[in-house]
Amino acid sequence: MARQGAIVVVGGGHAGIEAAAAAARMGSSVTLVTLRADSLVRLSCNPAIGGIGKAHLVREIDALGGIMARAADGAGIHFRVLNRSRGPAVQGPRIQQDHDEYPHVAAEMLREAGEIEIVAGEASGLIVRNGRCRGVRLRGGREIPADAVVVTTGTFLRGRMYRGDAVEEGGRAGEPAAKRLSEDLRARGVRTERFKTGTPPRIVANSVDFGRFERQPGDESPEPLSFRNLGADPFQPRLPQVSTWIAHTNERVHDVVRRGLDRSPLYTGRIESKGPRYCPSFEDKVVRFADRPSHLLHLEPMGLDHPWIYINGLSTSLPPDLQQELVRSIPGLESAEIARFGYAVEYDYVPPTQLRPTLEVRALPGLHLAGQICGTTGYEEAAALGLVAGINAVLSACRRSPWVPDRLTSYLGVLVDDLATRGVIEPYRMFTSRAEMRLSLSP
């Protein structure tokens, strides 16, 4: 295949690897810049892929040759179709992932995609010549020239993590923030604003009394996400399958939250930016739904050999002592040992009405954005935008006509059109209700 230009992708998360892989498949030479080469495509929050609306995106990514669906099938340890009792338009396959295996599977697929060089470093600025983005400059001075650039920085742009009164710079636990690129974008006329997200505590599995919870096995006949595996009859997961468990909070748990609101950065004013409405902090659940005597939680294994359990539904930024009390107030978790406390993270994003439907920045041709920097939330939305940005970066570099997915025939089109034309007032999450043609767009 003839060389189709040089592409630089900044960020090695779900958006970044799909952008890099798409560009490589189209014949471009790709340089993937990431803060840590050993931290590609991490499952930073819930180790699961798919769900309502999200599975639709994943299958469209797969239909276009992307990585996510195949990686999810390969590292899946709990397959379950959500809304199975309802119509196919609103059903959503969801696959719990082995937290450590998924990055290995996805990274191997990335290596198979084509000519991709991975460079460890922080992109501190853009190279601009004659009004067009022509590469990136790394902290330390190295320049990487390109015909087009895709920035997929996730929650790392001026990321700040909050846990009670403690504030730490970083994009996620144990990894530093990227500060200089935000300043460079603003200096070039790109407006940025702030969003926040959060994550729950992880607990040590052998400190949980699982006999006190309702066991939830996966489906007897697992349904894969990739079209390559949908033809298998029956589909056989590569990894052994595990159960999850259903838990509930109670008034004692809620009392801990109420007593601690004056120590929550969400209620002391330290965090002013908006978070995802459909994945709220547990503090918000208790305050906004004060009449609810309990809230549903899911205890989800983080892997076959991983020692931690993820408490889905308990995202919090309360200080550690209150998180400990909160968790141990849940029946069955009285002796739970917290392996990592929950936290909130606040970060810069670019309001997406500044983008063309190709995800190219209007003010700076040659620069494309994808993932949470566009104001979205979720692995699946990030991967979908990465695919679209990667394709259009190559087309832009080669001066070829752009590709814009149609919202009437794809969820990719709904996602891109919503962002570029309507913008966001909170982190955007895909739902089937956003698609006018959802009855004909079942996954």
Side-chain angles (χ1 to χ4, degrees):
M1 182 181 294
R3 184 177 179 274
Q4 299 293 321
I7 306 298
V8 171
V9 177
V10 178
H14 300 273
I17 70 161
E18 293 290 358
R25 288 194 301 270
M26 294 174 71
S28 289
S29 61
V30 180
T31 302
L32 177 60
V33 178
T34 180
L35 289 171
R36 288 178 50 181
D38 61 349
S39 292
L40 290 179
V41 69
R42 293 270 302 274
L43 296 168
S44 306
C45 198
N46 186 15
I49 301 293
I52 309 302
K54 293 171 175 284
H56 296 68
L57 287 174
V58 177
R59 285 206 169 134
E60 291 180 3
I61 293 167
D62 186 65
L64 292 167
I67 288 173
M68 179 169 272
R70 289 180 291 138
D73 288 349
I77 58 175
H78 180 98
F79 290 70
R80 189 175 186 84
V81 175
L82 307 182
N83 279 353
R84 187 180 284 279
S85 62
R86 302 176 65 184
V90 294
Q91 292 180 4
R94 179 183 183 274
I95 308 174
Q96 192 75 18
Q97 299 295 300
D98 186 298
H99 178 272
D100 296 328
E101 183 65 12
Y102 181 88
H104 292 311
V105 175
E108 181 59 33
M109 293 177 182
L110 179 66
R111 285 189 287 270
E112 295 171 354
E115 185 183 343
I116 301 173
E117 178 188 5
I118 298 175
V119 174
E122 178 186 343
S124 60
L126 304 173
I127 300 170
V128 178
R129 296 192 182 96
N130 299 320
R132 182 178 175 86
C133 187
R134 288 291 185 181
V136 300
R137 183 176 297 104
L138 302 187
R139 185 175 184 179
R142 177 182 173 184
E143 293 189 350
I144 304 178
D147 297 301
V149 173
V150 182
V151 172
T152 69
T153 45
T155 61
F156 284 80
L157 283 186
R158 292 201 306 134
R160 290 169 66 86
M161 298 182 292
Y162 296 83
R163 187 183 288 134
D165 294 330
V167 183
E168 179 183 356
E169 291 187 349
R172 63 184 170 212
E175 298 189 40
K179 295 184 289 186
R180 300 185 182 186
L181 187 56
S182 273
E183 298 170 1
D184 191 77
L185 287 169
R186 289 192 295 273
R188 300 185 188 281
V190 180
R191 180 168 53 92
T192 66
E193 295 182 6
R194 300 283 276 176
F195 271 160
K196 79 95 180 172
T197 188
T199 190
R202 278 73 159 166
I203 55 178
V204 177
N206 62 16
S207 67
V208 177
D209 184 358
F210 289 107
R212 305 272 296 281
F213 301 103
E214 177 186 348
R215 178 174 170 268
Q216 188 175 54
D219 292 341
E220 290 187 9
S221 300
E223 181 173 323
L225 282 169
S226 175
F227 289 105
R228 303 188 188 193
N229 296 321
L230 280 168
D233 188 20
F235 168 70
Q236 295 293 335
R238 186 175 70 92
L239 299 179
Q241 299 298 287
V242 301
S243 294
T244 61
W245 293 268
I246 297 175
H248 297 87
T249 64
N250 53 42
E251 282 298 336
R252 182 183 170 195
V253 175
H254 302 173
D255 285 341
V256 175
V257 173
R258 295 186 188 103
R259 284 191 285 107
L261 289 178
D262 62 346
R263 300 175 64 193
S264 167
L266 298 177
Y267 286 86
T268 60
R270 303 192 75 178
I271 297 178
E272 297 180 353
S273 54
K274 287 189 176 181
R277 184 178 8 154
Y278 300 101
C279 186
S281 71
F282 189 67
E283 294 98 298
D284 278 341
K285 289 183 184 180
V286 172
V287 172
R288 290 169 54 196
F289 305 104
D291 58 329
R292 293 276 301 269
S294 68
H295 291 280
L296 180 68
L297 305 175
H298 291 272
L299 306 183
E300 300 175 333
M302 292 187 63
L304 297 177
D305 299 314
H306 201 290
W308 297 357
I309 296 290
Y310 179 95
I311 310 180
N312 192 349
L314 201 65
S315 177
T316 180
S317 56
L318 287 169
D321 61 314
L322 290 178
Q323 290 193 41
Q324 183 79 70
E325 184 180 356
L326 186 157
V327 168
R328 290 187 173 180
S329 297
I330 299 171
L333 299 182
E334 293 89 347
S335 301
E337 178 185 346
I338 296 184
R340 176 187 291 168
F341 290 97
Y343 59 91
V345 57
E346 195 175 34
Y347 57 93
D348 284 354
Y349 78 98
V350 172
T353 50
Q354 298 173 91
L355 308 180
R356 302 181 188 280
T358 59
L359 304 181
E360 186 177 44
V361 177
R362 295 178 186 275
L364 189 52
L367 174 64
H368 297 72
L369 306 182
Q372 284 180 273
I373 193 174
C374 298
T376 61
T377 180
Y379 309 138
E380 300 83 359
E381 291 86 350
L385 293 176
L387 179 80
V388 175
I391 291 171
N392 280 299
V394 175
L395 296 176
S396 173
C398 299
R399 303 294 196 272
R400 293 166 59 188
S401 298
W403 175 70
V404 178
D406 182 0
R407 74 173 294 132
L408 298 183
T409 58
S410 68
Y411 277 87
L412 285 174
V414 173
L415 173 64
V416 170
D417 188 61
D418 279 353
L419 294 175
T421 63
R422 301 180 184 182
V424 294
I425 58 173
E426 62 190 10
Y428 180 101
R429 177 177 176 178
M430 176 54 67
F431 288 103
T432 54
S433 59
R434 297 190 188 273
E436 296 86 346
M437 304 300 290
R438 58 186 171 275
L439 293 180
S440 62
L441 294 179
S442 57

